[in-house]
Amino acid sequence: EPEVTQTPSHQVTQMGQEVILRCVPISNHLYFYWYRQILGQKVEFLVSFYNNEISEKSEIFDDQFSVERPDGSNFTLKIRSTKLEDSAMYFCASSGLQGATDTQYFGPGTRLTVL
Amino acid sequence: GEDVEQSLFLSVREGDSSVINCTYTDSSSTYLYWYKQEPGAGLQLLTYIFSNMDMKQDQRLTVLLNKKDKHLSLRIADTQTGDSAIYFCAETEEYGNKLVFGAGTILRVKS
């Protein structure tokens, strides 16, 4: 069964460093998303991406964040200068053709630890 | 803004039914979902329901929607130890839009 994959599973970085989190969405999907879950808190929406551009973003998704689909398979989240409060689990999701039965499928997540 | 609330914890005995409840505030919610998260794993889609439905059954899972009260529930029949996980309720207004999640309900199944 097709699935969303994410790498790395765990990333440790120093405050102020740039990180890139990678995702491979399900191959025929058209909508891509990033969410994050700070330990003990709700899963929060960051950004959605469709047709090679951001379709929606939350207040969390400030200028430090960017997303890219550099080729036909990868979808990346870049944090330019990490802060301690960026420590969280980051989930990528994708969904397919518009239709009643399509839903967002999530990857296993990348745990980001900022020291 | 949108908000989704869930009870934090539920403990049941193996073989009993579990009922996990969720309330939401957005009357524009069109799609409502239940996701399961096992320790150290991602979010696994369990089931979903559209706002024009009252009930959906899928094997051991039954979803009930009371749109007037904005109340959603997930019933797991014959709960097994493998059902122990965190269950998240989520809603969205339109397909392709962001999901708004509840805080999750920890389900503990005692053998």
Side-chain angles (χ1 to χ4, degrees):
Chain A
E1 187 177 317
E3 58 183 17
V4 177
T5 59
Q6 290 184 244
T7 54
S9 56
H10 191 190
Q11 172 95 46
V12 181
T13 189
Q14 296 289 329
M15 192 170 56
Q17 295 296 304
E18 174 184 286
V19 294
I20 298 176
L21 310 183
R22 300 180 194 280
C23 169
V24 178
I26 294 173
S27 64
N28 62 348
H29 281 187
L30 301 175
Y31 295 82
F32 313 110
Y33 313 82
W34 284 101
Y35 292 81
R36 79 172 185 190
Q37 185 181 29
I38 294 172
L39 188 65
Q41 297 187 23
K42 289 186 179 185
V43 177
E44 302 171 289
F45 169 77
L46 292 177
V47 66
S48 58
F49 192 85
Y50 170 71
N51 201 26
N52 284 318
E53 59 183 27
I54 290 173
S55 48
E56 188 179 3
K57 60 182 181 178
S58 70
E59 291 174 356
I60 303 166
F61 194 87
D62 61 22
D63 292 343
Q64 293 298 315
F65 292 87
S66 62
V67 288
E68 198 177 30
R69 187 154 162 81
D71 52 43
S73 59
N74 289 284
F75 180 52
T76 61
L77 174 69
K78 183 194 289 187
I79 308 174
R80 249 178 286 282
S81 176
T82 50
K83 303 189 277 281
L84 294 176
E85 54 265 37
D86 293 327
S87 294
M89 182 74 102
Y90 287 81
F91 292 107
C92 173
S94 69
S95 60
L97 295 171
Q98 187 166 5
T101 59
D102 265 322
T103 54
Q104 293 181 30
Y105 292 89
F106 283 76
T110 292
R111 181 168 298 285
L112 176 65
T113 302
V114 182
L115 303 175
Chain B
E2 311 110 330
D3 196 19
V4 177
E5 297 290 335
Q6 296 179 240
S7 50
L8 289 182
F9 186 75
L10 176 66
S11 180
V12 300
R13 285 203 189 89
E14 192 174 17
D16 288 350
S17 291
S18 308
V19 179
I20 302 170
N21 294 300
C22 168
T23 57
Y24 59 97
T25 58
D26 189 353
S27 56
S28 303
S29 296
T30 305
Y31 304 92
L32 296 129
Y33 302 89
W34 285 102
Y35 284 87
K36 176 184 179 183
Q37 185 181 36
E38 296 183 41
L43 297 164
Q44 174 196 351
L45 175 69
L46 279 181
T47 187
Y48 58 90
I49 190 168
F50 304 119
S51 59
N52 61 357
M53 298 166 66
D54 297 324
M55 186 182 94
K56 181 180 179 183
Q57 186 148 5
D58 184 0
Q59 299 182 338
R60 292 191 296 123
L61 305 178
T62 304
V63 180
L64 294 177
L65 175 61
N66 181 328
K67 199 175 176 188
K68 175 175 162 288
D69 294 339
K70 300 194 186 76
H71 182 266
L72 182 73
S73 67
L74 173 71
R75 179 176 179 269
I76 306 173
D78 187 25
T79 314
Q80 303 296 306
T81 53
D83 294 324
S84 293
I86 304 175
Y87 290 79
F88 292 94
C89 169
E91 62 89 15
T92 188
E93 287 183 21
E94 281 183 40
Y95 180 79
N97 277 17
K98 66 181 182 187
L99 290 173
V100 177
F101 282 85
T105 299
I106 299 170
L107 174 64
R108 180 181 160 216
V109 182
K110 296 178 285 188
S111 56

Short mmCIF file of all heavy atoms in Angstrom, two decimals, chain A residues 34 49 66-71 74-78:
data_model
loop_
_atom_site.label_atom_id
_atom_site.label_comp_id
_atom_site.label_asym_id
_atom_site.label_seq_id
_atom_site.Cartn_x
_atom_site.Cartn_y
_atom_site.Cartn_z
N TRP A 34 2.35 20.26 5.73
CA TRP A 34 3.20 20.06 6.89
C TRP A 34 2.41 20.45 8.14
O TRP A 34 1.72 21.48 8.16
CB TRP A 34 4.48 20.90 6.84
CG TRP A 34 5.51 20.35 5.91
CD1 TRP A 34 5.80 20.78 4.64
CD2 TRP A 34 6.42 19.27 6.17
NE1 TRP A 34 6.81 20.03 4.09
CE2 TRP A 34 7.21 19.11 5.00
CE3 TRP A 34 6.65 18.42 7.26
CZ2 TRP A 34 8.21 18.14 4.91
CZ3 TRP A 34 7.64 17.47 7.16
CH2 TRP A 34 8.41 17.32 6.00
N PHE A 49 0.22 23.01 0.21
CA PHE A 49 0.93 23.29 -1.04
C PHE A 49 0.22 22.57 -2.15
O PHE A 49 -0.08 21.37 -2.05
CB PHE A 49 2.37 22.76 -0.88
CG PHE A 49 3.34 23.19 -1.93
CD1 PHE A 49 4.01 24.40 -1.82
CD2 PHE A 49 3.64 22.36 -3.00
CE1 PHE A 49 4.95 24.78 -2.76
CE2 PHE A 49 4.58 22.73 -3.95
CZ PHE A 49 5.24 23.95 -3.83
N SER A 66 10.11 27.68 4.96
CA SER A 66 9.80 27.65 3.53
C SER A 66 9.56 26.20 3.12
O SER A 66 10.02 25.28 3.79
CB SER A 66 10.92 28.28 2.71
OG SER A 66 12.13 27.56 2.86
N VAL A 67 8.83 26.04 2.04
CA VAL A 67 8.58 24.70 1.50
C VAL A 67 8.93 24.70 0.02
O VAL A 67 8.91 25.74 -0.65
CB VAL A 67 7.11 24.24 1.68
CG1 VAL A 67 6.80 23.92 3.13
CG2 VAL A 67 6.13 25.27 1.13
N GLU A 68 9.25 23.50 -0.43
CA GLU A 68 9.66 23.37 -1.82
C GLU A 68 9.34 21.97 -2.29
O GLU A 68 9.36 21.01 -1.50
CB GLU A 68 11.18 23.60 -1.90
CG GLU A 68 11.69 23.91 -3.27
CD GLU A 68 13.19 24.19 -3.26
OE1 GLU A 68 13.91 23.63 -2.42
OE2 GLU A 68 13.62 24.94 -4.14
N ARG A 69 9.03 21.90 -3.59
CA ARG A 69 8.90 20.59 -4.21
C ARG A 69 9.94 20.58 -5.34
O ARG A 69 9.64 20.94 -6.47
CB ARG A 69 7.49 20.40 -4.74
CG ARG A 69 7.19 19.02 -5.25
CD ARG A 69 5.72 18.73 -5.16
NE ARG A 69 5.32 17.60 -6.01
CZ ARG A 69 5.46 16.34 -5.66
NH1 ARG A 69 6.00 16.01 -4.51
NH2 ARG A 69 5.05 15.37 -6.47
N PRO A 70 11.17 20.21 -5.00
CA PRO A 70 12.28 20.40 -5.94
C PRO A 70 12.23 19.49 -7.16
O PRO A 70 12.81 19.80 -8.19
CB PRO A 70 13.52 20.10 -5.08
CG PRO A 70 13.02 19.23 -3.98
CD PRO A 70 11.61 19.65 -3.73
N ASP A 71 11.54 18.37 -7.02
CA ASP A 71 11.41 17.45 -8.16
C ASP A 71 10.03 16.83 -8.09
O ASP A 71 9.19 17.27 -7.34
CB ASP A 71 12.53 16.40 -8.13
CG ASP A 71 12.61 15.70 -6.77
OD1 ASP A 71 11.53 15.36 -6.23
OD2 ASP A 71 13.71 15.52 -6.26
N ASN A 74 9.87 14.71 -4.12
CA ASN A 74 10.15 15.20 -2.77
C ASN A 74 9.37 16.47 -2.43
O ASN A 74 9.05 17.28 -3.31
CB ASN A 74 11.65 15.49 -2.62
CG ASN A 74 12.46 14.22 -2.61
OD1 ASN A 74 12.50 13.52 -1.62
ND2 ASN A 74 13.10 13.91 -3.73
N PHE A 75 9.09 16.62 -1.15
CA PHE A 75 8.46 17.83 -0.63
C PHE A 75 9.22 18.17 0.64
O PHE A 75 9.30 17.34 1.55
CB PHE A 75 6.98 17.55 -0.36
CG PHE A 75 6.20 18.71 0.19
CD1 PHE A 75 6.21 19.95 -0.43
CD2 PHE A 75 5.41 18.56 1.32
CE1 PHE A 75 5.49 21.02 0.07
CE2 PHE A 75 4.67 19.61 1.83
CZ PHE A 75 4.71 20.84 1.20
N THR A 76 9.82 19.36 0.69
CA THR A 76 10.70 19.67 1.82
C THR A 76 10.19 20.85 2.63
O THR A 76 9.52 21.75 2.10
CB THR A 76 12.13 20.00 1.34
OG1 THR A 76 12.08 21.15 0.49
CG2 THR A 76 12.74 18.83 0.59
N LEU A 77 10.54 20.84 3.91
CA LEU A 77 10.29 21.95 4.82
C LEU A 77 11.65 22.43 5.32
O LEU A 77 12.41 21.65 5.87
CB LEU A 77 9.42 21.52 6.00
CG LEU A 77 9.19 22.55 7.10
CD1 LEU A 77 8.32 23.69 6.60
CD2 LEU A 77 8.56 21.91 8.34
N LYS A 78 11.93 23.70 5.09
CA LYS A 78 13.20 24.28 5.56
C LYS A 78 12.92 25.25 6.68
O LYS A 78 12.00 26.09 6.57
CB LYS A 78 13.92 25.00 4.42
CG LYS A 78 15.29 25.57 4.82
CD LYS A 78 15.83 26.55 3.80
CE LYS A 78 16.26 25.90 2.53
NZ LYS A 78 16.94 26.87 1.62
#
